[in-house]
Amino acid sequence: MASEFDLIERYFKRPVDPSLLGGGDDCALLSVSPGKRLAVSKDLLLEGRHFFSDVDPYLLGHKALAVNLSDLAAMGARPVACMLGLGLPTWSDVWIRAFADGFYSLVDRYQCPLIGGDTTRSQRDIVLSVTVFGEVDDALALKRNAATVDDDIWISGELGAADLACRMLSGELALQADWLAATRGALEQPIPRLDLGLALLGHAHSAIDVSDGLLQDLGHILTQSQVGAVIEETLLPMHAVIQKLPIETRRQTTLGGGDLYELCFTAAVSKRMAIEHIGRTLNVRLTRIGQIVERSGLTVLDAARNEIKALPDSYDHFKEPA
Amino acid sequence: MASEFDLIERYFKRPVDPSLLGGGDDCALLSVSPGKRLAVSKDLLLEGRHFFSDVDPYLLGHKALAVNLSDLAAMGARPVACMLGLGLPTWSDVWIRAFADGFYSLVDRYQCPLIGGDTTRSQRDIVLSVTVFGEVDDALALKRNAATVDDDIWISGELGAADLACRMLSGELALQADWLAATRGALEQPIPRLDLGLALLGHAHSAIDVSDGLLQDLGHILTQSQVGAVIEETLLPMHAVIQKLPIETRRQTTLGGGDLYELCFTAAVSKRMAIEHIGRTLNVRLTRIGQIVERSGLTVLDAARNEIKALPDSYDHFKEPA
C-alpha cells in the first residue's frame, strides 16, 4: 500500500507554473491581477450520494472538477487553479490513474492547474472535495442579486437529461437502454459553461448554474434580487428523450431536476442580439424562457398560459436519497 | 429534517464583511492587497480516521479550522477567510450548533470569516473539508525550500502530548486517566501558531507545521532545501507526561507522533536573540533542537551523542489505522 506522499508523487504531480507554487509547501501561493478579485468555490462529492459506487473513475475525476468549474462559469470568472481533497477506503493503480486522467482532462482544457490538496484513507466511502479559484473583474461579475425587472431569463443547453439518467440508474424510473444511452453523458460528463460565462460579462446582469434544478436556482436569483419571474413551460429547451415522458415526469425533470451544469442568466431586452450572437459563436444553444417581473414569486405558465399550481420538488443534497 | 439551505441559514450565516461577498453566490469573491499573494490550503478530516465518532462537536468544529489555520501559520500568512464542506449522515440541532460554535470560536479569534462552502448528507461517516485563505508578502513567506546550512532548527511548544492521547484513546496504549487528562487538550483543541508565524517573517528562513510528525515534516524541509540536519534528542521539548514513558514509546511519540500543530522552523544563528524575544513576547516556548548541515539526511543524536539508528515510523494519513 502506497503512502499519502507516494499517491501525490505518483498521480498528482504534473507540472505547474512555478509562480503559483504548487504542491510541496503548507499552502499554495496564488497571485491575483490588480483590480481583480479571486472567485472561490468548493463542493463536496460523496459516494452513494453524488455518484454511484461503481462509477467510471475517469468520469468521476472529470465530474469532480466540472461541477466546481461550473460555479466559476456562473460568475463569469476565468479559472486560475484548483485543489483536490481525496479520501479513498482502498485504491488500485488502474482506478486512481483513470481518476487522475479524468481530472487532468479538465485541468488541461481550462488551464486550471492542480496546486495542492490532501489525500487520506477513508473508512468506507470515497470522498471528494474540490476547491476552485478563478479571477473576475468585480464590477462585471455575474451576481445573483443583479437581476432587473423586465430582464429576459435565458438558459443554456437543454434541461432534463442528467436528471432522467440519474432516476433510471437509481431505479426510480424503469431503465430504457436507448434513453440511458442518450442521457447519461449529461449526468456523468457535464461540460462547465466557462466560455459562456466569460462571454456574458458586460451583457448579462445575473447568472447561476442550475445544479439544484431550475426552479430552485432561479429562485435564488429572485430572492437575492428582490424580484419575481414568469417563465413559460413551452419555451423550455429539453432533450428529445424528455419530450417523450409523461407530463408530470417531464415537469419534475425539467423544472426540478438537478445535477445540471447549464447557466440560467438574466439580461436586458436590448441585449438579445448580442446574446444570440454569443450562442452562435460558442455553438451553445441559448433559449429565452421568460421574464423578470416586479411582483415577487416564480410563476410557470403552461401551454394555455395558465399558471401551473403543482410545481415539482426541487433538488436538495440534504434530503434522504430516493 | 432540515434541507441543505436551512442548515446554512440556521447555523452558518453569521455576518461577513460584505466586501468579501459571503455565502449566497456561486463563488465568494476575495480581495487581495497589492503586492501580496493569497496562501491557500485545504484539509480533509474523516470520521474514524482523524477523529473518533463520539468526538465532542464543539472540539471538532474547533479542530477542523485549527489544523487548516496551522498551514497558514507555517507560511507566515495572515488569515483572510475560510470555507467549510460538511457531510453528515444525520444531525441534531444540539450537535451542529456546538460544531458551529467551535468552528466560529476560531473564526472570531483569528478574524477568518466563513465565506462559503457546501453541506450535504453523507452515507455513513462525518466528512469535513476546510479550505483556508491567507495573505502573505511573497518575498517573506516561510517556504520549505529556504533552509540554509548552519541555520538553527527551532520548535515551538512541546512534543508528544497529542500523540500520546491519541494512542490511549485508540487503545494502542493502556489508558491512564491522569495522563489522558493532561494530554487530550493538545489532541482535541490545538492552537494554531498564527501569531508566531507572522512574528517570524523576516527572521526565519523556512517553516513547517509538524502535523505529520517532527521527523517527516523536518524531512520535507531538508529535501526541498537540499540540505541535511542534526538534532539532539536531549534538547527536544516534551510534555512532562512524555518524560515518564519508556524510551521507545517516548521516541515514537516525540519524533514520529503527528497531529501536532507546532511550528518547526529554521533561522540564522544571528537571529537567536530576536527569536527568543518573540517567544517571550508571545508567551510561546521556543526551543533550539539542532542545526542544518550540508550533508543530506536527518541525524538524531542520543544523550551520549551517538546516532540513533532505529528511528520511529512517521505519521501517514494513508496507512491502515492502528
Side-chain angles (χ1 to χ4, degrees):
Chain A
M1 178 60 68
S3 77
E4 173 181 6
F5 298 100
D6 291 333
L7 278 190
I8 293 171
E9 203 58 52
R10 217 191 293 176
Y11 301 102
F12 298 105
K13 273 284 191 182
R14 305 190 190 177
V16 172
D17 177 347
S19 68
L20 282 168
L21 183 60
D25 224 302
D26 292 279
C27 300
L29 295 181
L30 290 177
S31 313
V32 178
S33 310
K36 301 279 189 177
R37 280 185 175 228
L38 200 73
V40 294
S41 179
K42 80 178 285 161
D43 269 313
L44 206 56
L45 281 90
L46 306 179
E47 179 178 347
R49 185 83 199 136
H50 302 96
F51 55 89
F52 298 97
S53 301
D54 60 351
V55 63
D56 177 325
Y58 180 92
L59 296 176
L60 182 62
H62 172 104
K63 186 162 176 175
L65 186 50
V67 303
N68 280 277
L69 289 172
S70 179
D71 286 323
L72 295 183
M75 298 209 79
R78 184 185 62 77
V80 169
C82 63
M83 303 182 93
L84 171 65
L86 181 59
L88 296 174
T90 181
W91 60 279
S92 69
D93 184 73
V94 169
W95 194 97
I96 199 164
R97 196 173 294 279
F99 176 89
D101 283 346
F103 193 91
Y104 276 105
S105 70
L106 287 190
V107 164
D108 294 341
R109 179 165 174 174
Y110 295 110
Q111 294 171 31
C112 183
L114 176 65
I115 55 164
D118 193 17
T119 61
T120 194
R121 176 179 295 278
S122 60
Q123 256 195 140
R124 296 177 286 207
D125 298 323
I126 300 171
V127 173
L128 296 170
S129 167
V130 176
T131 307
V132 289
F133 309 96
E135 208 175 64
V136 67
D137 187 310
D138 191 29
L140 296 179
L142 306 172
K143 294 175 188 167
R144 294 181 184 178
N145 64 4
T148 307
V149 172
D150 295 333
D151 271 4
D152 291 322
I153 302 169
W154 296 79
I155 184 97
S156 67
E158 294 172 334
L159 297 164
D163 187 62
L164 179 62
C166 187
R167 286 156 180 256
M168 287 191 288
L169 287 169
S170 69
E172 197 190 325
L173 289 179
L175 197 146
Q176 279 196 230
D178 54 335
W179 288 10
L180 186 60
T183 57
R184 81 185 294 170
L187 178 69
E188 294 183 334
Q189 208 164 4
I191 302 299
R193 295 294 191 188
L194 286 160
D195 295 338
L196 176 60
L198 286 169
L200 289 175
L201 293 176
H203 296 295
H205 287 142
S206 67
I208 194 167
D209 75 341
V210 290
S211 53
D212 293 325
L214 178 60
L215 290 189
Q216 183 159 296
D217 284 315
L218 178 54
H220 291 314
I221 287 183
L222 302 184
T223 304
Q224 293 189 31
S225 300
Q226 298 182 287
V227 293
V230 178
I231 63 177
E232 297 186 41
E233 191 180 27
T234 54
L235 298 178
L236 298 178
M238 63 188 77
H239 194 283
V241 165
I242 307 298
Q243 292 169 353
K244 300 178 186 164
L245 297 173
I247 186 162
E248 285 311 316
T249 313
R250 198 174 68 213
R251 275 185 185 155
Q252 175 66 47
T253 285
T254 53
L255 294 169
D259 220 349
L260 182 66
Y261 300 91
E262 297 296 348
L263 298 188
C264 175
F265 57 95
T266 80
V269 172
S270 62
K271 295 290 188 178
R272 283 184 190 173
M273 281 184 63
I275 288 169
E276 283 163 2
H277 179 72
I278 289 168
R280 282 192 301 274
T281 306
L282 298 178
N283 198 25
V284 175
R285 181 175 176 181
L286 298 179
T287 310
R288 276 189 287 120
I289 60 171
Q291 226 71 32
I292 296 293
V293 297
E294 197 164 342
R295 191 169 61 95
S296 71
L298 173 51
T299 304
V300 185
L301 302 178
D302 65 15
R305 299 191 64 81
N306 292 317
E307 183 176 351
I308 302 171
K309 295 291 184 188
L311 289 175
D313 285 345
S314 285
Y315 192 76
D316 183 342
H317 288 292
F318 224 84
K319 278 203 191 126
E320 294 290 348
Chain B
M1 179 59 71
S3 77
E4 173 181 0
F5 297 100
D6 291 333
L7 278 191
I8 293 170
E9 202 59 51
R10 217 192 293 175
Y11 301 102
F12 297 106
K13 273 282 190 183
R14 305 190 191 177
V16 171
D17 177 347
S19 69
L20 282 167
L21 184 61
D25 224 302
D26 293 278
C27 300
L29 295 182
L30 290 176
S31 314
V32 179
S33 310
K36 301 279 188 175
R37 281 185 174 227
L38 200 74
V40 293
S41 180
K42 79 179 284 160
D43 268 314
L44 207 56
L45 281 92
L46 305 179
E47 179 179 346
R49 186 82 198 136
H50 302 97
F51 56 90
F52 297 97
S53 302
D54 60 351
V55 63
D56 178 325
Y58 181 93
L59 296 175
L60 182 61
H62 171 104
K63 185 161 176 175
L65 186 50
V67 302
N68 280 278
L69 289 172
S70 179
D71 286 323
L72 295 183
M75 298 208 79
R78 183 185 62 77
V80 170
C82 63
M83 303 181 94
L84 170 65
L86 180 60
L88 296 174
T90 181
W91 61 278
S92 70
D93 184 73
V94 169
W95 194 96
I96 199 166
R97 196 173 294 279
F99 176 88
D101 283 345
F103 194 90
Y104 275 106
S105 71
L106 288 189
V107 164
D108 294 340
R109 179 166 175 174
Y110 295 110
Q111 294 171 32
C112 184
L114 177 64
I115 55 164
D118 193 17
T119 61
T120 196
R121 175 180 293 282
S122 61
Q123 256 194 140
R124 295 177 287 208
D125 297 324
I126 299 171
V127 172
L128 295 170
S129 167
V130 176
T131 308
V132 289
F133 308 96
E135 209 176 64
V136 67
D137 188 308
D138 191 29
L140 296 179
L142 306 171
K143 295 176 187 167
R144 295 181 184 177
N145 64 4
T148 307
V149 172
D150 294 332
D151 271 3
D152 290 321
I153 302 169
W154 296 78
I155 184 100
S156 67
E158 293 172 337
L159 297 165
D163 187 61
L164 179 61
C166 186
R167 286 157 181 254
M168 286 191 288
L169 288 169
S170 69
E172 198 189 326
L173 289 179
L175 197 146
Q176 280 197 229
D178 55 335
W179 288 11
L180 186 61
T183 57
R184 81 185 292 171
L187 178 68
E188 294 184 333
Q189 207 165 5
I191 301 299
R193 295 294 190 188
L194 285 160
D195 295 338
L196 177 60
L198 286 169
L200 290 175
L201 293 176
H203 296 293
H205 287 142
S206 68
I208 193 166
D209 75 340
V210 289
S211 53
D212 293 324
L214 178 60
L215 289 189
Q216 183 158 296
D217 284 314
L218 178 55
H220 291 314
I221 287 183
L222 303 183
T223 305
Q224 292 188 33
S225 300
Q226 299 181 286
V227 293
V230 177
I231 65 178
E232 297 186 42
E233 190 180 27
T234 55
L235 299 178
L236 298 178
M238 64 189 77
H239 194 284
V241 165
I242 308 297
Q243 292 170 351
K244 302 178 187 166
L245 297 173
I247 187 162
E248 286 309 315
T249 312
R250 198 174 68 214
R251 275 185 186 158
Q252 176 65 46
T253 284
T254 53
L255 294 169
D259 221 349
L260 182 66
Y261 299 92
E262 298 296 347
L263 298 188
C264 175
F265 58 96
T266 80
V269 172
S270 62
K271 296 289 187 179
R272 283 182 190 175
M273 281 183 63
I275 288 169
E276 283 162 1
H277 179 72
I278 288 169
R280 282 192 302 274
T281 305
L282 299 178
N283 198 24
V284 176
R285 181 173 177 182
L286 299 179
T287 310
R288 275 189 290 120
I289 60 172
Q291 227 70 33
I292 296 292
V293 299
E294 196 164 346
R295 191 169 63 95
S296 70
L298 174 51
T299 304
V300 185
L301 301 179
D302 64 17
R305 299 191 65 80
N306 292 318
E307 182 176 352
I308 302 172
K309 295 290 184 188
L311 289 174
D313 284 345
S314 284
Y315 191 76
D316 183 343
H317 288 291
F318 225 84
K319 279 202 192 130
E320 292 290 347

